[in-house]
Amino acid sequence: MSDNQKVLYTGKTHTTGGRDGASRSSDGRLDVKLSSPGSAGQGTNPEQLFAAGWSACFIGAMGFAAKSLAVALPTDLAVDTEVDLCSNAGGYELQARLNVSLPGVDHETARAIVDAAHQTCPYSKATRGNINVTINLV
């Protein structure tokens, strides 16, 4: 952490059993069963959790970007995030697609909002240069 960085929030979880276990947040608001992708397990998987978190954070970053551009975001905007778990000779890795819907916003303005959001969203920053990410306007 840099000297001028201020921690705004710390999410804390306790996970047991890995992909076929469970995870619970320290405040009890998150309490989920986990299962491997494609298995018959009853829980969600880390890729779905990551996609949900990224989508929510990205919408917040779009709001910040739209405000700086003096543009009102539509109430029915949506981000459908797809996180792929991939394998290669080196092991496993992720790749992602964010499919952004901004109904009623012209393409040029929507692209400016999405590009600015991708520069400020903490999830986008964390993945930049580490995994393949595609952001589509749909």
Side-chain angles (χ1 to χ4, degrees):
M1 178 181 339
S2 67
D3 290 337
N4 63 352
Q5 190 172 22
K6 178 182 174 187
V7 174
L8 300 175
Y9 175 78
T10 300
K12 298 178 184 179
T13 61
H14 178 77
T15 302
T16 57
R19 287 183 172 272
D20 295 308
S23 190
R24 181 178 170 87
S25 63
S26 60
D27 63 5
R29 292 175 136 187
L30 176 72
D31 190 359
V32 296
K33 292 180 182 178
L34 302 170
S35 60
S36 295
S39 73
Q42 295 180 355
T44 189
N45 60 65
E47 291 73 24
Q48 290 171 326
L49 292 170
F50 188 69
W54 196 350
S55 295
C57 187
F58 199 83
I59 288 172
M62 286 193 309
F64 183 76
K67 186 176 181 180
S68 72
L69 296 171
V71 174
L73 288 178
T75 58
D76 56 346
L77 71 89
V79 177
D80 295 319
T81 301
E82 302 170 349
V83 174
D84 301 323
L85 175 63
C86 306
S87 67
N88 60 30
Y92 296 97
E93 61 185 40
L94 300 175
Q95 66 182 19
R97 289 166 305 288
L98 281 73
N99 301 302
V100 180
S101 173
L102 291 170
V105 178
D106 68 88
H107 184 80
E108 185 177 312
T109 302
R111 178 50 61 190
I113 291 169
V114 165
D115 289 348
H118 192 49
Q119 293 305 308
T120 60
C121 173
Y123 281 74
S124 293
K125 288 180 179 182
T127 58
R128 187 170 292 113
N130 295 311
I131 68 171
N132 291 328
V133 176
T134 304
I135 301 180
N136 301 306
L137 286 172
V138 295

